[in-house]
Amino acid sequence: MSRAGRIARRTFLVGAAAVAGGLAVGYYFYRKPFPNPLEDGLAEGEATFNPYVKIGSDDRVTVIVPRAEMGQGVATTLAALVAEELDVELDAIVVEHGPPASAYANVTMIKDGLPFPVFDESTLANLARDGVGVVGKFLAIQGTGGSTSTTDAFERMRQAGATAREMLKSAAAEKLGVAAGTLRTEAGRVVDPASERSLSYGELALDASALRPPSDAALRPRSDWRLLGRSQPRTDMHAKVTGAPIFGVDVSLPDMLFATVRMSPRRGARMVSIDAAEAEKLPGVVKIVPLRTYLGEGYGVIAKSTWHAFRAADAVEAEWGEAPFPPDDAGIWSELQRAMETDAGTALRNDGDVDTALADAPRERVVEAEYRVPFLAHATMEPMNATARFADGVLDIWAPNQAPTLLRTVCAREAGIEEAACNVHVTYLGGGFGRRLEADYAVFATRLAMEAGGAPVKVIWTREEDITHDMYRPAAIGRFTARLGENGLPEALDMKIAAPSIMASVMPRFYPALSALGPDATVVDGSYNQPYRIPNYRVAAVKAPLPLPVGFWRSVGNSYNGYFHECFMDEIAHSSATDPIELRRRLMTDFPTALGAIEKVADMARWGDPLPDRRARGFAFTLSFGSWVAEIVEIADTPEGIRIEKVWIAADVGTALDPSIVEAQLFSGAIYGLSAAMNQEITFADGMVEQSNFHDFDAMRIHQCPQFEVAILENAGRMGGAGEIGTPPAVAALANAVFALTGKRVRQLPLSREVAFA
Amino acid sequence: MRLTVDGKTIDIDAEPEMPLLWALRDLAGVLGPKFGCGIAACGACTVLIDGAPVRSCILPVAQVEGDVTTIEGLARDGTLHPVQQAWLDGQVAQCGYCQAGQIMSAVALLDEIPEPTDEEIDSAMSGNLCRCGTYPRIRAAIKRAAAMRAGA
Ligand code: FES
Ligand code: FES
């Protein structure tokens, strides 16, 4: 067992006890399966087999995909899991999100929050993972995040399809008077090959659903898959090319009012005064409502249209108090710096004896560097929004959201009602990237609905409100030291990273009475758990006490640790005059999956071949969310600035259930990372965010978009995620390419601080 | 105020300075065009006016002269427009939020330049932001649509 494991376990136990609030008492409760939430909402003639499958007597098969569709294709892939086992075609089923319910808890998401590298297969790591499975179910968080949806659903939803299939066969066997074992299923029918008689699922559904579910329905072996492992047409594509009203902003209800909010531009500051007299006189205004909530203060404007609300909100005069954090970047960085210097942090990886190895290192063998990354906004294409109606003691919320059970908890609490009186309707998401795990926009909508006399209120934020009121990707500082051995390989690597803790920031937004104890693995995620063997290897996390709202941003800690770790590796390679890929070959000999991805990408790009003038390449590798990803970025020096010409990605995801969707996620993730690496930063002045819209917080445009070549590998033993894994290595590979092209080692993002992009 | 939207005449009771986007979305219930930025910086709200792409978030409704076409008016009798079909075939959309605007810009581009070069695609489409990064498939779909129309 590694030392990292021992340290982590102790702190984990403290954290788990706090989170679970009495694990032992809850044990029996967890064992009982959750009730099937579909039982309450069945239509005439409709039957439900389990929380994932409904079949109507009209043969309509509905599959519940209780995860947020935010572009990552989860609706298609998870529906295919059920369809595969149930023997129905994907275009013959209806996919619904379903109600928020404990039955849909995402256990994998919580498991992956544990401080163990994925390759740590020690008993301890597995035990803890199983233990947290209990915690996850106990808390019953239905979340879409951490690239866990597919992994989490892989067994469960195939099982749901297989169980329903077997029940349908049993019902048919009874009707046909033959043994169930002789029957087949295909295209929504149970067939008796001997007599060539068949019955449709619709004819069998009511009887079948009354049967006892078998506990041993066999899952199809991979060799028999018809749908899985092959690219499927996405179930949401038609709606998305025809402009169908599927998003949160598109919710339309009778007598609906429109609204917007303006919360304190200094996050966490009080609203000292508000003067709405002029604004109230503007046409179209229904009501201006001061908002004082546990998530911040400000005001909302209810109006006859969104535009009327925006205009009146501009006309309100309000004064704001001081921000509870240093008001500008200089102060924020020095706070981070101080945390770095005064706090020893928690070593989440600690192999060998780093202190001794570094103590007597000869000067010329030491490589040292300090890196920084800025705060970042998510800037989902669809601005934050939610629609709420509070009538007769019942609260209904329509929202594009990644964690509906949490959303229900906070909104019901805000309205002072039982959760049972709060219905959450999840729409399609115009982008999530982690921002929509939060529920702030729904809490504000709840408050406005409580002032609207029972009318539904659709609350849409301006882009300016969205950029200035995000839960940002944390800024971070990393300080790194390496000692090189005679052979040029690092003998010791010491990494210390300080950042505001995401867990400490997120937790009180949902459970104000709870605090996140113990270390926060997200601070070093992507640095402490990489598949390198270095004899003395320490990675310490410092939780910087900065009360700025930070949150999950596509690939979370990996988004900057990929940059830290892999750019510093590039520095090590450069210092020892070793080719960067060769360095990895030598340090990753114990990890064939990593090597496989690296060799593949090197092959694809013909790494090592001479390049034309004014071109250069960078390489990086990051293991994140259980997937092993190597990327090469090629850039060119042009008169307009640096152009990103081409990106090669080789990703080992273990099992790729839908290659087209995985490919799309890989280049999507890379573009998201490249956008940030090139130009994005959120900065502060006078306690307020300085950026406000796409003119000063832009992202990659089509003319900046490189060509992509993607290879999907399936050698890893476990299935990994896909939605976030393209992001971390893209950032580092671009920075390394910039070094190769210009000789500038840019140690603070965005790269545009030091070089210009075309 | 009278507008022609997707071939239908609609009367809207709007203040003249109300942007077309909000008149369409909140008053006329035409929800295809999306709100992304409100400052003509993202293209999510793109509609066509007499065939030319326009950012409806900054265009006062009183200044609309000509027929408005939104994403909802592209398909004819249930048959997708070739650009929509190319988008479907190429599995372009991810979250989908920017795609109404992307498709409208692509329709305008192909109406003007039936076989655009890479540079022409880039310059016609660079005002349409996609946070999901669907650009590689957008490029491919525009070429597919161009080929489809050439073959038709
Ligand atoms: S909403 Fe009109 S360009 Fe962004
Ligand atoms: S598909 Fe999501 S923003 Fe373009």
Side-chain angles (χ1 to χ4, degrees):
Chain A
M1 182 201 307
S2 74
R3 209 145 109 204
R6 277 201 295 277
I7 293 165
R9 179 164 195 226
R10 191 186 65 235
T11 46
F12 158 68
L13 287 177
V14 175
V19 171
L23 197 50
V25 186
Y27 185 71
Y28 288 107
F29 177 71
Y30 128 81
R31 282 272 150 168
K32 217 166 53 185
F34 291 110
N36 181 351
L38 303 181
E39 256 148 31
D40 291 340
L42 292 176
E44 184 68 29
E46 207 173 32
T48 176
F49 290 75
N50 49 56
Y52 300 97
V53 181
K54 288 192 288 187
I55 301 178
S57 50
D58 56 357
D59 286 333
R60 180 179 153 116
V61 177
T62 304
V63 172
I64 307 300
V65 174
R67 294 289 172 260
E69 177 55 69
M70 47 195 165
Q72 81 284 38
V74 69
T76 307
T77 304
L78 299 202
L81 291 169
V82 175
E84 180 72 68
E85 293 294 338
L86 193 54
D87 284 326
V88 286
E89 294 310 314
L90 214 41
D91 57 9
I93 59 176
V94 179
V95 180
E96 282 178 8
H97 182 281
S102 302
Y104 303 127
N106 186 339
V107 180
T108 307
M109 183 167 94
I110 296 161
K111 271 189 193 174
D112 278 2
L114 283 184
F116 298 107
V118 266
F119 54 79
D120 180 359
E121 292 286 358
S122 66
T123 327
L124 171 65
N126 278 326
L127 266 182
R129 281 200 187 96
D130 290 341
V132 99
V134 180
V135 178
K137 228 176 270 182
F138 192 90
L139 283 174
I141 293 172
Q142 179 185 358
T144 308
S147 291
T148 53
S149 295
T150 307
T151 322
D152 186 67
F154 186 53
E155 296 295 324
R156 270 205 272 175
M157 291 189 68
R158 284 189 303 151
Q159 204 74 57
T163 307
R165 178 192 72 217
E166 293 308 315
M167 291 158 79
L168 289 159
K169 276 159 72 177
S170 300
E174 193 129 320
K175 283 210 164 113
L176 299 171
V178 297
T182 65
L183 298 174
R184 284 192 293 111
T185 45
E186 63 184 47
R189 302 186 75 82
V190 182
V191 182
D192 176 17
S195 66
E196 288 183 10
R197 284 179 302 170
S198 75
L199 291 162
S200 80
Y201 287 179
E203 294 172 272
L204 297 164
L206 283 175
D207 291 339
S209 67
L211 299 173
R212 201 185 155 81
S215 55
D216 56 349
L219 297 181
R220 299 258 147 87
R222 185 166 182 170
S223 51
D224 289 356
W225 285 352
R226 301 169 300 119
L227 305 173
L228 301 175
R230 289 169 220 240
S231 300
Q232 301 300 328
R234 288 176 60 135
T235 56
D236 54 354
M237 195 57 73
H238 191 272
K240 288 177 178 178
V241 304
T242 52
I246 56 176
F247 299 102
V249 297
D250 300 332
V251 169
S252 298
L253 298 161
D255 303 320
M256 186 171 76
L257 295 167
F258 302 83
T260 197
V261 295
R262 294 290 160 87
M263 305 308 286
S264 171
R266 296 197 191 96
R267 304 297 295 280
R270 308 287 310 268
M271 182 167 65
V272 179
S273 69
I274 174 167
D275 176 0
E278 288 306 310
E280 267 163 354
K281 290 186 209 143
L282 289 170
V285 173
V286 174
K287 195 170 192 180
I288 297 180
V289 182
L291 294 169
R292 295 183 201 280
T293 78
Y294 80 104
L295 290 172
E297 303 196 351
Y299 57 87
V301 177
I302 304 174
K304 296 237 161 71
S305 82
T306 312
W307 174 70
H308 285 109
F310 285 179
R311 185 171 65 171
D314 286 343
V316 173
E317 307 264 349
E319 265 181 83
W320 313 100
E322 295 300 311
F325 48 83
D328 56 20
D329 269 37
I332 290 169
W333 284 119
S334 73
E335 199 65 16
L336 275 164
Q337 201 80 42
R338 182 167 49 205
M340 171 68 93
E341 264 140 38
T342 55
D343 187 336
T346 309
L348 285 167
R349 174 169 204 153
N350 198 356
D351 302 342
D353 184 346
V354 170
D355 288 329
T356 308
L358 290 179
D360 68 343
R363 218 29 253 158
E364 69 280 6
R365 294 267 177 76
V366 173
V367 186
E368 277 179 298
E370 186 173 298
Y371 280 73
R372 291 179 173 200
V373 295
F375 292 100
L376 291 172
H378 298 79
T380 58
M381 206 70 219
E382 179 188 21
M384 292 303 110
N385 67 87
T387 303
R389 180 182 59 207
F390 190 53
D392 307 323
V394 175
L395 177 65
D396 278 274
I397 312 250
W398 293 259
N401 173 262
Q402 292 173 246
T405 50
L406 288 175
L407 184 140
R408 185 176 55 188
T409 299
V410 295
C411 290
R413 194 169 59 209
E414 195 65 25
I417 56 172
E418 296 290 323
E419 287 192 23
C422 177
N423 306 311
V424 178
H425 316 269
V426 179
T427 65
Y428 278 84
L429 285 64
F433 313 129
R435 177 62 178 88
R436 291 192 154 101
L437 283 162
E438 306 281 345
D440 49 336
Y441 43 89
V443 168
F444 304 151
T446 299
R447 287 289 283 268
L448 291 178
M450 292 167 75
E451 303 280 338
V457 187
K458 176 157 73 175
V459 189
I460 300 182
W461 295 18
T462 59
R463 175 60 62 192
E464 288 77 9
E465 187 74 8
D466 183 278
I467 299 273
T468 55
H469 292 75
D470 204 341
M471 316 300 178
Y472 300 98
R473 197 286 302 272
I477 297 184
R479 203 172 267 182
F480 317 131
T481 311
R483 174 186 177 158
L484 306 183
E486 304 261 351
N487 56 3
L489 296 181
E491 254 168 32
L493 173 58
D494 194 15
M495 303 183 73
K496 186 175 177 187
I497 293 147
S501 161
I502 293 172
M503 297 315 281
S505 185
V506 168
M507 197 78 113
R509 287 200 286 273
F510 291 105
Y511 301 102
L514 282 185
S515 58
L517 301 175
D520 181 349
T522 66
V523 172
V524 288
D525 200 4
S527 280
Y528 86 101
N529 46 5
Q530 295 304 296
Y532 288 83
R533 282 282 178 248
I534 298 170
N536 306 286
Y537 195 172
R538 180 169 65 194
V539 183
V542 175
K543 289 179 13 175
L546 256 183
L548 247 157
V550 292
F552 302 100
W553 187 94
R554 198 172 194 172
S555 84
V556 198
N558 297 280
S559 69
Y560 59 85
N561 280 292
Y563 164 67
F564 285 171
H565 195 277
E566 292 300 280
C567 287
F568 194 59
M569 271 300 155
D570 208 64
E571 294 206 41
I572 290 173
H574 184 73
S575 300
S576 62
T578 311
D579 174 82
I581 289 193
E582 184 54 29
L583 181 78
R584 268 65 169 208
R585 286 193 185 110
R586 292 161 71 181
L587 292 175
M588 293 180 169
T589 44
D590 296 349
F591 300 98
T593 312
L595 286 178
I598 290 171
E599 295 303 347
K600 180 72 190 176
V601 86
D603 245 31
M604 286 158 62
R606 307 173 67 91
W607 179 263
D609 280 9
L611 293 176
D613 250 14
R614 298 173 178 280
R615 292 233 176 183
R617 287 173 168 186
F619 168 86
F621 171 94
T622 306
L623 163 62
S624 65
F625 307 99
S627 292
W628 313 65
V629 187
E631 297 186 20
I632 291 171
V633 171
E634 182 171 316
I635 58 176
D637 187 14
T638 78
E640 292 77 42
I642 293 175
R643 260 194 68 82
I644 307 175
E645 296 287 344
K646 182 143 188 188
V647 176
W648 293 265
I649 306 177
D652 199 320
V653 298
T655 304
L657 291 178
D658 188 310
S660 167
I661 286 174
V662 172
E663 182 204 59
Q665 283 307 296
L666 285 166
F667 65 70
S668 167
I671 288 171
Y672 200 78
L674 295 171
S675 294
M678 289 195 294
N679 291 314
Q680 292 176 345
E681 61 180 330
I682 288 292
T683 56
F684 290 82
D686 188 22
M688 306 182 205
V689 169
E690 293 187 287
Q691 293 70 25
S692 63
N693 205 319
F694 292 126
H695 66 289
D696 54 9
F697 193 85
D698 206 359
M700 182 184 277
R701 302 285 174 146
I702 196 168
H703 67 276
Q704 300 171 308
C705 182
Q707 281 190 300
F708 281 90
E709 198 175 316
V710 173
I712 300 165
L713 307 174
E714 299 185 286
N715 301 315
R718 292 158 171 250
M719 179 162 36
E724 306 173 78
I725 59 175
T727 304
V731 177
L734 176 60
N736 292 338
V738 166
F739 173 74
L741 184 74
T742 66
K744 278 189 201 148
R745 184 62 75 182
V746 185
R747 297 193 182 91
Q748 181 166 358
L749 295 180
L751 297 165
S752 59
R753 294 170 59 90
E754 297 193 34
V755 295
F757 287 90
Chain B
M1 213 168 296
R2 182 158 284 194
L3 294 178
T4 310
V5 179
D6 297 330
K8 291 186 276 281
T9 306
I10 46 179
D11 288 302
I12 328 185
D13 176 18
E15 284 149 76
E17 67 268 35
M18 185 176 207
L20 173 62
L21 174 68
W22 295 114
L24 289 173
R25 290 185 57 84
D26 290 358
L27 304 185
V30 178
L31 295 165
K34 302 295 182 229
F35 167 62
C37 69
I39 60 165
C42 77
C45 64
T46 306
V47 300
L48 306 184
I49 298 187
D50 285 344
V54 169
R55 309 293 184 225
S56 64
C57 67
I58 55 157
L59 180 70
V61 64
Q63 288 176 27
V64 175
E65 280 173 26
D67 291 358
V68 179
T69 308
T70 77
I71 184 83
E72 298 179 21
L74 283 186
R76 291 262 175 271
D77 310 322
T79 307
L80 295 180
H81 185 282
V83 172
Q84 290 174 305
Q85 188 61 47
W87 244 249
L88 189 79
D89 295 345
Q91 296 284 298
V92 174
Q94 291 187 24
C95 85
Y97 194 80
C98 73
Q99 299 295 340
Q102 305 279 2
I103 289 172
M104 297 318 286
S105 291
V107 166
L109 166 67
L110 291 175
D111 281 344
E112 194 170 309
I113 311 174
E115 284 177 63
T117 62
D118 288 350
E119 290 68 41
E120 285 163 339
I121 293 176
D122 278 359
S123 79
M125 303 297 294
S126 66
N128 287 85
L129 182 63
C130 175
R131 280 296 272 148
C132 299
T134 57
Y135 306 128
R137 290 191 183 179
I138 287 177
R139 281 184 183 144
I142 290 177
K143 298 203 161 157
R144 181 180 286 126
M148 233 153 39
R149 283 160 52 126

